[in-house]
Amino acid sequence: MNRDRHATNPAAARTASTQELRDAYLVDGLFARGEVRTLHTAEDRMLVAGVVPDGGELSFGEIRALGEGGLERREFGVVNIGEPGEVVVDGVPFELGHRDGLYAGRGSTLAFRGDGARFYIVTAVAQASHPTVLLPFADSEPVELGSEAGAGRRALHRYVWGEGPTASSQLQFGVTVLHDGAVWNTYPPHLHERRTEVYLYFELDEDDRVVHLMGEPEHTRHLVVRNEEGVVAPRWSIHSGVGTGRYSFIWAMAGDNRDYGDLAPVSVQDLR
């Protein structure tokens, strides 16, 4: 299943129905046994995918929305949200455990193996080639954010973020893990005026949900998100969320720069 979405504008989101918001911004239905499923958004030309090898081997093929050879001009971020599995990059296998990441540069060919592995992939157009890097979760140094009093204490693990040892053309991504008792992420909210960000929520219990806040600060909207679902946040949209239980999420960005700190904080007093 390969889906393609047009870019959107804030005026349309102000009056959209719940279903229209879900159709435009929700990332759902990515993970199916034995399949590669993709969702392409014209917002900074980002593409996300879910790959569930189910004991066999699956690889990326042509994606209609990208045109012939479209994947050859992209760089890739991969995170395994399931049991251990392998990502084969240009014929070389890399073992990824739960939450482990991998970066593969422009023009790489990728295949996926593993019984119980569930791979989440995010890709962006790349202007230069960079080497493949395995990014174990255990080796990443977390940035501690939030507080227990604010119910938002969390550990942000940066895999590729414009600095550090792993270079990229424009892609940034990582994993944020909430501590016990925390329910808020990225609060107060912010937006990136020069980049698109995509969230993928995981490690939610079956009956738990995240209420993801989006839209313009003065015209906020929301989406109710389940486990292994996410949201596309265009450059004009805030992003923040609160869950009914503990969860983790993968964040990924692409756009005009790789400055991780290039964001616009939004005061709570300005939210409507």
Side-chain angles (χ1 to χ4, degrees):
M1 181 176 69
N2 301 317
R3 289 173 288 173
D4 187 24
R5 290 180 180 168
H6 297 291
T8 59
N9 66 78
R14 295 174 196 169
T15 58
S17 67
T18 298
Q19 189 59 53
E20 288 170 337
L21 289 172
R22 294 176 70 84
D23 290 343
Y25 305 105
L26 185 69
V27 177
D28 64 340
L30 279 185
F31 300 94
R33 294 175 59 180
E35 294 187 32
V36 176
R37 293 187 171 187
T38 67
L39 188 154
H40 171 262
T41 173
E43 309 285 358
D44 282 309
R45 297 298 310 280
M46 295 183 74
L47 180 139
V48 297
V51 180
V52 185
D54 197 29
E57 178 173 303
L58 295 173
S59 61
F60 267 131
E62 294 293 334
I63 309 298
R64 186 176 63 179
L66 305 182
E68 185 177 354
L71 286 175
E72 299 173 4
R73 299 183 293 275
R74 288 179 166 261
E75 57 188 350
F76 307 85
V78 181
V79 178
N80 182 11
I81 64 173
E83 298 175 13
E86 284 186 339
V87 181
V88 183
V89 183
D90 298 328
V92 179
F94 295 86
E95 181 79 19
L96 270 68
H98 184 66
R99 296 182 184 165
D100 287 349
L102 177 139
Y103 170 84
R106 174 183 168 124
S108 299
T109 60
L110 276 69
F112 302 88
R113 303 169 180 160
D115 188 3
R118 300 171 77 82
F119 296 103
Y120 175 68
I121 302 98
V122 58
T123 83
V125 176
Q127 292 75 39
S129 298
H130 299 282
T132 299
V133 181
L134 180 65
L135 303 161
F137 178 82
D139 293 347
S140 60
E141 184 174 348
V143 178
E144 293 290 336
L145 299 171
S147 67
E148 291 184 4
R153 185 166 172 257
R154 59 200 184 275
L156 187 151
H157 296 258
R158 296 178 295 187
Y159 288 170
V160 178
W161 74 98
E163 300 177 15
T166 306
S168 69
S169 184
Q170 65 165 321
L171 183 64
Q172 301 181 40
F173 71 100
V175 175
T176 298
V177 179
L178 274 66
H179 289 279
D180 288 339
V183 293
W184 280 100
N185 70 72
T186 320
Y187 191 82
H190 63 269
L191 51 80
H192 302 278
E193 296 176 331
R194 284 162 286 276
R195 286 176 290 168
T196 296
E197 183 163 8
V198 181
Y199 275 32
L200 183 87
Y201 293 100
F202 69 110
E203 297 179 350
L204 279 81
D205 288 341
E206 183 178 354
D207 293 332
D208 281 326
R209 300 289 185 270
V210 171
V211 178
H212 183 97
L213 303 179
M214 60 163 294
E216 301 163 284
E218 64 277 18
H219 297 285
T220 57
R221 310 304 307 274
H222 74 273
L223 291 171
V224 177
V225 183
R226 300 182 299 178
N227 186 46
E228 296 185 356
E229 294 184 342
V231 180
V232 176
R235 67 176 189 87
W236 47 264
S237 175
I238 65 168
H239 30 279
S240 182
V242 60
T244 60
R246 190 172 176 272
Y247 59 93
S248 301
F249 65 96
I250 300 166
W251 49 269
M253 293 183 282
D256 289 337
N257 61 45
R258 293 187 299 119
D259 180 0
Y260 180 78
D262 184 13
L263 56 83
V266 176
S267 170
V268 175
Q269 286 73 25
D270 293 334
L271 297 177
R272 298 289 186 272

